[in-house]
Amino acid sequence: LFFKVSQVLEEKRGYQSTDTREAPYQGDPNRVFVRWRNTFSNNLRMGFILEKDPGEAFSSDNGLTQFDYQTFHVYLKNYSSFLKTVALGDYTVSMGQGLIAHNNFGSGKSALISNVKRGGQVLRPYNSLRESEFQRGIGVTLGLTDKIQTTLFASRANRDGNVLNNENIDPENPLPSEFSSFQITGNHRTLSEIEDKNAIGMQTYGAVVSYRDKGFKLSLNGMANFFDGSLNRGDQLYNLYRFEGDHLHNASVDASYRFRNVNFFGESALASTGGSAHVYGALVGLSRRLSSVLVYRNYDKTYNAFQPNAFAESVVGNNERGFYTGLIFNISRNWTLRGYFDLWDHPWLKFGISKPSSGNEFLVRLDYVKKRDHLIYLQYTQENKEADYSSSFAIRQTGFQRRDRIRLHLEHIVSKGFKIRSRVEYSRFANPIAVENGYLLYFDAIYNPALMPFSFSSRIAFFDTDDYNSRIYAFENTVLYEFTIPPYFDQGIRYYLNTRFDFIKNLTLEFRIARSKFTRANQIRDPDSVYFIDALSSGNERIIGNTRTEVKMQVRWAF
């Protein structure tokens, strides 16, 4: 059982009332999270999650307090040779290489050069706080023979969405006739966000039939989505070929084959909108020290899927063609060289650019590891892609924007259970009218002895970027089973401290405090004077001042 509560200490504008308006946020600034999970043997799992985001209010139903987000699952795995999997409640579906849907881990472009192939179970229990990624209903996987199995699933879930013409909805049939988009933030803080909550009903049905024999696998996949109402995205040109309507169907075939030192994989998919999508790749072991990866993708501009997660530059999974290649060379026991190059183009317009466009990206990284006590790596990344960089009513100017990042990272195990880590990183963004630079320097200390009831991790970071375009992302340690990769931008200092206590058997207490102090905050006019004052963010998230402090507590009870 997990219980977690966190809060930003500085007051945001959304919680403030004035003489002319009530506070826009309907709830308090606490994030409250409860998770329970139980595993019986290795076969049966069940659990639930309850969460309230900052600004959301608890509701009441028959005197019972209701969290804004609630998810529950029961998951049975490997019950028999015939009954492979049963998923009840909330679950995820993963098919092939993600052209239709995929929710298992599958990396995109990163220093993990060869981690581009999707895989994993078709059905998995849902344990995430993302409020728009799950199916809700039932799914089963049956082993028809030793080599053939099939998965069937059905779901009915409500999604957040912007309903059009709300005033025309018939009270006796309160289903929206049209909606403009789905909302995926999961925030229900203001009256307008609450109005969007669960506004669109969605039914999903699907099946996967797979054949396996030695190193060969072949699967046929299908998914059908039906919406309560019709999606009408608007008349922007980049939306011309994107899905609109009240139903969307997809079908695909995916295969993988391992032959000696080569692992082939791929998937081809069709959509009811008329388009197709294809991704094919190979992982190749060229020698004991040298391996490579090749991926080709071609996603039609008319191809659409509801939850695609295929290898791509963009997140929508269409209107893209590209070729990716990567190489890993183990120079010696201590030294490794790795890198990739990706080249792509978008045959039609996309958000942020008013013409067909193209781009490329490459990464080079050199690692030095010594007896697992030291890790040092130097990494350089460059990305070039076209975008609109200025606009007026009559004309838009388009050109290449370039991002360069260079990073030096060091880790050292001082003693058993104590590690230090540091990094310096430089970022440069440039387009035809602007050049921005950014810097990040941080130091970490991580103390986690095996036989001690106390552990901690901490960081102090200094950052200075000209604007958000030159931001730098960095992973942060936090409480158990949680991670964060925030962007560092503007100018300032950030530090955090995580502590963990295991003094009582089966009970773990964790505390975290993280604080950012900006030395170059935005200036706004004080409404009560003629002076300018510091402010962070904007709109309802605005904080008066130049600091942002978050505190968090988590309790874990294993019983």
Side-chain angles (χ1 to χ4, degrees):
L1 180 69
F2 289 83
F3 173 78
K4 178 168 58 182
V5 60
S6 63
Q7 182 186 125
V8 173
L9 298 183
E10 292 82 2
E11 187 178 39
K12 299 180 179 180
R13 183 177 181 271
Y15 302 103
Q16 299 170 352
S17 300
T18 67
D19 295 336
T20 58
R21 71 177 179 101
E22 296 182 353
Y25 289 167
Q26 302 299 297
D28 60 57
N30 291 309
R31 171 179 274 115
V32 182
F33 166 88
V34 180
R35 169 185 281 163
W36 172 80
R37 63 183 185 185
N38 204 342
T39 301
F40 300 89
S41 179
N42 292 319
N43 302 105
L44 181 61
R45 295 167 54 185
M46 63 176 60
F48 65 78
I49 294 176
L50 309 173
E51 190 215 28
K52 182 196 81 71
D53 289 318
E56 294 176 344
F58 286 106
S59 60
S60 180
D61 185 11
N62 296 325
L64 297 176
T65 298
Q66 297 282 327
F67 285 75
D68 178 80
Y69 171 61
Q70 306 172 61
T71 178
F72 172 78
H73 69 265
V74 177
Y75 185 72
L76 178 66
K77 182 180 178 182
N78 296 329
Y79 180 74
S80 68
S81 60
F82 175 72
L83 190 59
K84 298 287 188 179
T85 304
V86 178
L88 297 174
D90 294 346
Y91 59 92
T92 64
V93 175
S94 295
M95 297 177 170
Q97 295 303 308
L99 294 180
I100 299 177
H102 208 287
N103 284 278
N104 292 328
F105 288 107
S107 177
K109 292 177 287 187
S110 72
L112 301 173
I113 307 299
S114 60
N115 196 16
V116 296
K117 180 185 176 184
R118 304 292 194 263
Q121 297 289 327
V122 177
L123 299 176
R124 292 179 63 89
Y126 194 69
N127 289 298
S128 174
L129 294 179
R130 294 176 63 88
E131 300 182 23
S132 60
E133 302 292 330
F134 58 84
Q135 307 292 339
R136 177 164 288 175
I138 183 172
V140 295
T141 298
L142 306 175
L144 303 182
T145 69
D146 291 342
K147 298 180 180 180
I148 300 175
Q149 66 180 32
T150 183
T151 299
L152 306 171
F153 59 90
S155 166
R156 168 74 186 188
N158 293 323
R159 310 292 187 188
D160 293 358
N162 288 327
V163 176
L164 300 174
N165 302 320
N166 229 350
E167 65 276 7
N168 296 327
I169 293 180
D170 183 357
E172 297 182 359
N173 182 28
L175 299 179
S177 59
E178 283 188 319
F179 60 100
S180 61
S181 65
F182 291 99
Q183 297 295 322
I184 62 174
T185 63
N187 289 324
H188 308 116
R189 304 162 299 184
T190 65
L191 294 178
S192 61
E193 290 176 347
I194 294 172
E195 187 178 355
D196 291 342
K197 181 181 178 180
N198 296 332
I200 312 300
M202 176 178 170
Q203 299 179 68
T204 302
Y205 307 96
V208 177
V209 180
S210 299
Y211 171 82
R212 293 176 180 265
D213 185 18
K214 298 180 180 178
F216 176 71
K217 177 189 175 185
L218 177 69
S219 297
L220 303 177
N221 313 294
M223 179 181 287
N225 298 292
F226 301 89
F227 310 106
D228 291 346
S230 180
L231 176 60
N232 183 356
R233 293 186 183 273
D235 56 3
Q236 295 92 342
L237 276 177
Y238 61 79
N239 282 330
L240 182 61
Y241 297 104
R242 297 191 65 191
F243 163 71
E244 290 187 328
D246 60 3
H247 63 276
L248 176 61
H249 309 326
N250 297 90
S252 78
V253 55
D254 77 89
S256 64
Y257 178 58
R258 182 182 296 275
F259 177 73
R260 295 183 179 177
N261 60 334
V262 183
N263 188 346
F264 300 97
F265 60 92
E267 182 179 14
S268 291
L270 298 172
S272 56
T273 52
S276 63
H278 313 273
V279 58
Y280 303 104
L283 304 172
V284 185
L286 299 173
S287 69
R288 292 176 58 187
R289 292 187 175 185
L290 187 63
S291 60
S292 67
V293 57
L294 306 169
V295 180
Y296 169 75
R297 60 194 186 273
N298 189 339
Y299 309 147
D300 287 352
K301 60 188 177 184
T302 54
Y303 178 79
N304 290 275
F306 182 65
Q307 288 183 332
N309 186 20
F311 184 88
E313 168 65 19
S314 61
V315 297
V316 294
N318 65 3
N319 185 34
E320 182 172 321
R321 298 174 300 196
F323 180 77
Y324 169 95
T325 181
L327 201 68
I328 303 175
F329 179 34
N330 295 310
I331 303 171
S332 67
R333 179 179 298 178
N334 304 117
W335 292 90
T336 302
L337 179 67
R338 66 189 75 193
Y340 69 75
F341 178 76
D342 189 34
L343 180 68
W344 70 85
D345 76 300
H346 304 291
W348 184 245
L349 283 61
K350 58 192 293 287
F351 181 78
I353 183 164
S354 53
K355 72 177 187 68
S357 58
S358 62
N360 61 80
E361 180 181 351
F362 71 86
L363 175 146
V364 178
R365 172 168 159 171
L366 181 64
D367 291 74
Y368 174 76
V369 180
K370 184 179 180 181
K371 295 182 180 179
R372 299 184 179 180
D373 291 335
H374 305 276
L375 167 63
I376 304 173
Y377 72 80
L378 180 66
Q379 178 176 300
Y380 174 67
T381 310
Q382 184 186 112
E383 180 189 61
N384 297 276
K385 62 182 179 182
E386 292 178 282
D388 291 340
Y389 59 85
S390 67
S391 64
S392 65
F393 180 78
I395 190 171
R396 291 182 183 271
Q397 295 176 287
T398 301
F400 274 93
Q401 62 181 27
R402 173 172 164 173
R403 283 187 170 89
D404 296 87
R405 296 185 178 92
I406 185 167
R407 172 191 301 172
L408 178 62
H409 182 94
L410 303 94
E411 293 185 17
H412 174 60
I413 298 178
V414 179
S415 61
K416 192 172 183 179
F418 183 53
K419 179 169 68 175
I420 58 175
R421 187 166 58 196
S422 63
R423 176 182 296 180
V424 58
E425 186 163 350
Y426 167 71
S427 172
R428 182 179 186 271
F429 171 87
N431 64 22
I433 61 172
V435 176
E436 300 175 11
N437 297 284
Y439 305 88
L440 170 66
L441 172 65
Y442 73 66
F443 302 93
D444 289 354
I446 302 166
Y447 178 68
N448 188 19
L451 301 178
M452 294 289 289
F454 169 76
S455 62
F456 75 85
S457 63
S458 63
R459 167 177 297 176
I460 181 168
F462 306 90
F463 55 94
D464 185 356
T465 73
D466 292 335
D467 207 339
Y468 188 69
N469 285 322
S470 53
R471 65 194 179 275
I472 299 173
Y473 289 91
F475 172 87
E476 291 187 357
N477 292 100
T478 180
V479 297
L480 190 64
Y481 300 130
E482 181 181 303
F483 72 93
T484 178
I485 310 178
Y488 289 73
F489 65 95
D490 284 343
Q491 184 185 78
I493 181 173
R494 176 172 172 81
Y495 49 88
Y496 66 76
L497 174 65
N498 307 311
T499 58
R500 181 180 301 169
F501 302 90
D502 294 294
F503 293 117
I504 303 175
K505 184 179 180 180
N506 298 331
L507 189 68
T508 302
L509 304 178
E510 295 180 271
F511 300 93
R512 171 181 168 88
I513 181 169
R515 182 179 177 90
S516 296
K517 182 176 182 180
F518 296 87
T519 57
R520 192 174 60 219
N522 297 324
Q523 293 284 304
I524 63 170
R525 187 180 292 275
D526 187 346
D528 299 323
S529 70
V530 296
Y531 299 103
F532 285 85
I533 56 177
D534 290 335
L536 304 178
S537 299
S538 60
N540 290 328
E541 289 292 288
R542 173 172 288 166
I543 294 172
I544 300 301
N546 67 341
T547 62
R548 186 180 187 275
T549 309
E550 183 186 37
V551 293
K552 184 178 299 183
M553 180 193 72
Q554 178 169 278
V555 180
R556 175 179 179 265
W557 180 26
F559 55 92

